[in-house]
Amino acid sequence: MTTPRPLVRPARVLAAALAAGTLFATAACSGSDSSASPESDASSTVAERGLAAQTTSPAASSPAASQSPSDLSEEGARNALITPADIEDDWTQVRDPREWRDTLLVGTVDVAAFVDGQSDVQDCQRLVDALFEETLLGKPTGASAVTGFQQGDSRLLYQVAAYDKAELNDSMQWLSELPDACDQFTLTGGDAGERTVQVIETSLPQAGDNRQGLTVTVKGESSGAPVTLSLDVAAVQIGADAITVTNGGLDGADHDTTSAAVERGTLRLQEVLAGRTPSPTPSGIN
């Protein structure tokens, strides 16, 4: 158990994941928040940031230490996003997953508000704040695109983005330390009362240059009824670029779907970085 340290949390930022990533997550959303995009309106399923100023740094003494900026373009980030065919089952692409950051109704439970809270441990608070904010690995410094899917009581948030290489390395290191630093902690505040959070490490396919998988479980009460939210959180780094996945819900996290998103998503990003446009994923992939 980690010894708590005082921390004052900023105003609510989650009030949406899967968790940021992350983070996002489960059962039937209400209204247009969960409506699937028609094929003719595919462009509206992708939320993207404008290209920020590129970060450059002097050449280091070795290639491994190089901080060369990413070559990922906005179009490339969009092309690298996974599709429903990549994760199969009955996942439906949603119109605008950014709305999950404000409210994510699953039945009568707002899971975004359920995860929103305060922790006395700084690293754990950072995880909580990042789950639905698309900042699991920090703020992108270049192109970024995000999409989301729903299936029954589950939600999946998927992001492709370019980062400052040194900051991305630090973020991946931070994720790797969470199973020890935040193995179990308490969330307070908000309307959900006291909640118990557990973070464990999970395995991912051998993809990219570096990868980290976690399962985050939040237990508490909502409207007097017990609630357990389970989220897979996954990140894969390729140079100065990365993909993040937050997948889960009130019925648990589907680890096979998380693995498929990581495996297929990494291949798509590698194709883009090689200057190619990924081919449409055929249905019925293994």
Side-chain angles (χ1 to χ4, degrees):
M1 182 78 67
T2 303
T3 302
R5 301 195 303 272
L7 178 71
V8 178
R9 183 181 185 271
R12 168 174 171 167
V13 294
L14 299 178
L18 284 7
T22 54
L23 135 275
F24 107 108
T26 99
C29 287
S30 63
S32 63
D33 289 358
S34 61
S35 61
S37 300
E39 290 297 326
S40 61
D41 204 19
S43 61
S44 67
T45 67
V46 177
E48 56 177 302
R49 292 188 179 85
L51 187 64
Q54 295 291 334
T55 301
T56 60
S57 61
S61 58
S62 68
S66 174
Q67 299 301 314
S68 298
S70 168
D71 292 327
L72 185 67
S73 68
E74 295 177 80
E75 181 181 9
R78 290 193 301 269
N79 288 337
L81 291 172
I82 59 171
T83 70
D86 291 305
I87 49 180
E88 292 191 303
D89 294 333
D90 296 320
W91 290 96
T92 301
Q93 203 162 17
V94 301
R95 192 173 300 277
D96 188 359
R98 290 174 301 180
E99 296 177 355
W100 290 348
R101 290 178 292 184
D102 301 320
T103 184
L104 179 55
L105 290 177
V106 177
T108 60
V109 178
D110 182 349
V111 297
F114 185 67
V115 174
D116 183 24
Q118 300 174 0
S119 168
D120 291 332
V121 184
Q122 186 172 4
D123 283 340
C124 308
Q125 186 68 58
R126 177 181 170 184
L127 172 64
V128 169
D129 291 346
L131 286 180
F132 296 103
E133 284 294 297
E134 302 165 33
T135 56
L136 187 67
L137 297 176
K139 292 185 178 180
T141 58
S144 176
V146 62
T147 189
F149 306 85
Q150 66 180 48
Q151 176 180 256
D153 294 340
S154 296
R155 302 291 180 268
L156 188 152
L157 183 68
Y158 187 93
Q159 184 181 26
V160 176
Y163 300 87
D164 174 82
K165 178 70 179 309
E167 293 177 0
L168 178 57
N169 290 342
D170 289 343
S171 294
M172 293 297 294
Q173 179 64 30
W174 165 71
L175 281 179
S176 72
E177 295 169 353
L178 288 180
D180 291 327
C182 302
D183 58 340
Q184 182 168 308
F185 63 97
T186 300
L187 272 183
T188 59
D191 298 330
E194 190 171 284
R195 286 135 288 163
T196 300
V197 184
Q198 292 181 314
V199 180
I200 63 172
E201 186 171 16
T202 56
S203 61
L204 294 177
Q206 293 294 313
D209 302 330
N210 191 12
R211 71 211 63 82
Q212 182 61 50
L214 306 170
T215 295
V216 180
T217 303
V218 186
K219 294 183 178 181
E221 290 189 356
S222 177
S223 301
V227 173
T228 298
L229 174 66
S230 297
L231 301 172
D232 273 356
V233 179
V236 177
Q237 178 182 5
I238 303 176
D241 306 308
I243 64 174
T244 55
V245 182
T246 303
N247 166 38
L250 301 180
D251 290 334
D254 185 341
H255 304 303
D256 289 343
T257 294
T258 303
S259 293
V262 164
E263 190 167 25
R264 296 296 308 175
T266 301
L267 291 174
R268 292 182 68 87
L269 180 54
Q270 289 172 331
E271 285 280 291
V272 167
L273 294 176
R276 299 185 291 268
T277 300
S279 301
T281 303
S283 59
I285 62 171
N286 294 321

